């Protein structure tokens, strides 16, 4: 199984540009199902999940092609099929983002139930409840969700939980509904703001995206447009932590620092010197830092996608830290691997209590999910000795050449 070989103990220094956000590119690509004509997405990250979504669009009859320079050109001129292929949906549960656009565009959608994954059961009840409010009839059989709607009607959709995917799916479907939809208790992540901006460029009439109340006045048609994918705040945060954990000075460019505000706040609280500019953020070299307490929450709270990476850092803090994972029910698998490197962590249901240790030591470890992979790489960069990390496929799914970016900061990583 391909793996990474990382020599630890080398402070990382320098400047690195973040790529476009995976979690923005995926819904943006799905939204193109509803846009007539040609769309161009730029700043698209090169990673497996994006390639899977491009395959998905082509399998539905929407021509999508990846061009050099991180551009994807989408031609949506032919009739669209409404059945999403099983193998692609199970390869990536985010494929469920095609459900809203499909039912809005064709009146039908037949999408395999997305599987759970290692971090949780990942239900879609909030998505389905939202669709129901818009007039979609749905049933689940043979592992597929079948949806049909003669026409979508605007409605008030109250989300039991501010689900990112459900907010995006309902916002997309509502864009082509007849009448006005108000999504209450909507998720506020920057990727949702980016999707709303894209849809408005295509002719949608959306306001409030990025706040807890999104209003969508349905329009009869959306047309292709051009859009740059927003910068990846999770990749940017992971790169910044690579500097922090190795005691180096790292500047991440091509970012929106305010999207990383919760992380920067916690790093300052731990004692790091953080500076930001309009599109960059920097951590100064610092050898001693303190433990901090963290609870993962919907944006603008601390992001669950940074929880594993932050845990890796806090294993080396002075003092104790408590992390509460309030979003997913099983997102501490990386703790067991970190303990094999000498970390002192106690797990108690949704809480992890981390007692800082003076050093980590290299070990043979494996990635269990995407962000756990980034956490193990961070730990390996700081550990004494050379660490072997297995499970590279998780990394390739969600990061655009993270090892290459770290090598450009001085990391000794071979694949
Ligand atoms: C998105 O997943 C991201 N994925 C996740 O990133 C991220 O961790 C998550 O949002 C939270 O920020 C993409 O954008 C492709 P949710 P999503 O719906 O939309 C429960 C990564 O590493 N829930 O906000 O699936 C759910 O079980 C990935 O890049 C329901 O109960 O997240 C979870 O506990 C991992 N019913 C919580 O809400 C539903 O219908 C948050 O899920 C939907 C969700």
């Amino acid at each position: 199984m391909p793996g990474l070989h990382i020599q630890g103990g080398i402070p990382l220094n320098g400047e690195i540009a973040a790529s476009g956000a995976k979690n923005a590119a995926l819904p943006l690509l799905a939204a193109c199902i509803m846009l007539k004509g040609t769309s161009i997405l730029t700043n698209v990250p090169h990673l497996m999940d994006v390639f899977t979504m491009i395959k998905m669009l082509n399998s539905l009859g929407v021509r999508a092609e990846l061009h050099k320079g991180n551009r994807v050109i989408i031609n949506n001129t032919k009739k669209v099929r409404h059945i999403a292929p099983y193998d692609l949906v199970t390869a990536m549960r985010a494929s469920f983002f095609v459900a809203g656009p499909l039912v809005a565009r064709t009146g039908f959608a037949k999408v395999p139930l997305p599987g759970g994954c290692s971090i949780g059961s990942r239900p879609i009840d909030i998505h389905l409840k939202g669709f129901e409010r818009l007039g979609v009839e749905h049933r689940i059989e043979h592992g597929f969700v079948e949806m049909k709607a003669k026409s979508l009607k605007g409605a008030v959709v109250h989300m039991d939980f501010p689900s990112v995917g459900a907010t995006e799916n309902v916002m997309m479907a509502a864009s082509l509904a007849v009448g006005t939809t108000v999504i209450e208790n909507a998720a506020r992540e920057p990727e949702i703001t980016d999707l709303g901006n894209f849809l408005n460029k295509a002719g949608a009439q959306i306001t409030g995206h990025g706040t807890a109340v999104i209003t969508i006045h349905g329009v009869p048609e959306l047309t292709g447009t051009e859009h740059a994918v927003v910068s990846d705040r999770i990749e940017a945060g992971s790169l910044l932590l690579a500097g922090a954990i190795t005691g180096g000075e790292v500047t991440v460019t091509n970012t929106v620092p305010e999207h990383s505000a919760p992380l920067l706040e916690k790093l300052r609280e731990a004692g790091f010197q953080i500076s930001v500019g309009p599109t960059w953020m920097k951590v100064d070299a610092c050898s001693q830092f303190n433990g901090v307490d963290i609870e993962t929450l919907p944006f603008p709270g601390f992001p669950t996608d940074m929880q594993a990476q932050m845990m890796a850092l806090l294993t080396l803090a002075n003092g104790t830290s408590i992390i509460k994972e309030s979003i997913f029910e099983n997102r501490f698998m990386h703790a067991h691997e970190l303990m094999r490197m000498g970390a002192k962590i106690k797990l108690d249901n949704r809480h992890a209590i981390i007692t800082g240790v003076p050093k980590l030591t290299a070990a043979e470890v494996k990635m269990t999910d995407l962000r756990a992979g980034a956490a193990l790489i961070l730990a390996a960069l700081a550990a004494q000795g050379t660490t072997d990390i297995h499970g590279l496929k998780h990394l390739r799914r969600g990061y655009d050449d993270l090892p290459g970016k770290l090598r450009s900061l001085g990391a000794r990583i071979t694949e």
Side-chain angles (χ1 to χ4, degrees), residues 219-243:
V219 294
E221 191 175 270
L222 295 171
T223 47
T225 182
E226 177 148 355
H227 185 75
V229 177
V230 69
S231 174
D232 193 322
R233 60 194 166 99
I234 305 302
E235 186 203 41
S238 307
L239 291 165
L240 203 68
L241 287 187

Side-chain angles (χ1 to χ4, degrees), residues 59-299:
S59 73
L60 294 169
V62 178
R63 266 171 55 72
E65 265 166 6
L66 189 60
H67 289 252
K68 62 184 187 318
N70 297 76
R71 291 157 63 88
V72 176
I73 299 180
I74 298 106
N75 274 304
N76 188 352
T77 48
K78 299 204 306 282
K79 196 166 159 9
V80 166
R81 279 187 289 286
H82 68 274
I83 301 180
Y86 176 81
D87 58 326
L88 291 178
V89 176
T90 44
M92 179 185 67
R93 43 179 327 286
S95 317
F96 195 69
F97 283 142
V98 302
L102 278 179
V103 78
R105 169 82 193 269
T106 69
F108 293 94
K110 186 172 175 186
V111 185
L113 264 177
C117 68
S118 59
I119 63 176
S121 62
R122 315 293 295 272
I124 54 166
D125 54 312
I126 304 175
H127 296 243
L128 296 179
K129 226 172 112 184
F131 289 143
E132 230 167 83
R133 299 283 299 126
L134 298 178
V136 176
E137 287 163 51
H138 62 82
R139 66 189 175 144
I140 292 178
E141 59 180 31
H142 310 303
F144 276 81
V145 187
E146 294 193 27
M147 302 197 291
K148 68 176 193 292
K150 279 178 290 310
S151 84
L152 294 173
K153 288 180 304 309
V156 175
V157 176
H158 183 85
M159 300 242 157
D160 296 348
F161 179 86
S163 152
V164 173
T167 301
E168 289 165 341
N169 239 334
V170 170
M171 187 165 76
M172 289 190 281
S175 302
L176 288 177
V178 176
T180 298
T181 297
V182 178
I183 304 177
E184 295 173 344
N185 195 26
R188 301 162 53 185
E189 273 68 6
E191 293 75 31
I192 289 166
T193 307
D194 201 43
L195 178 62
N197 292 340
F198 175 64
L199 290 169
N200 281 341
K201 280 189 204 172
Q205 289 176 23
I206 301 171
T207 53
H209 41 306
T211 75
V213 180
I214 305 177
T215 304
I216 304 118
H217 298 294
V219 294
E221 191 175 270
L222 295 171
T223 47
T225 182
E226 177 148 355
H227 185 75
V229 177
V230 69
S231 174
D232 193 322
R233 60 194 166 99
I234 305 302
E235 186 203 41
S238 307
L239 291 165
L240 203 68
L241 287 187
I245 201 169
T246 57
E249 175 180 299
V250 165
T251 302
V252 186
T253 60
N254 185 29
T255 65
V256 183
E258 44 277 20
H259 292 171
S260 297
L263 171 72
L264 302 183
E265 198 35 52
K266 282 296 168 184
L267 288 175
R268 288 189 177 110
E269 191 186 320
F272 288 96
Q273 179 65 35
I274 303 286
S275 32
V276 301
T279 60
W280 56 268
M281 47 196 194
K282 177 161 81 89
V283 59
D284 285 356
C286 156
S287 54
Q288 297 283 328
F289 58 92
N290 305 317
V292 291
D293 293 346
I294 287 177
E295 178 176 7
T296 63
L297 289 167
F299 194 86

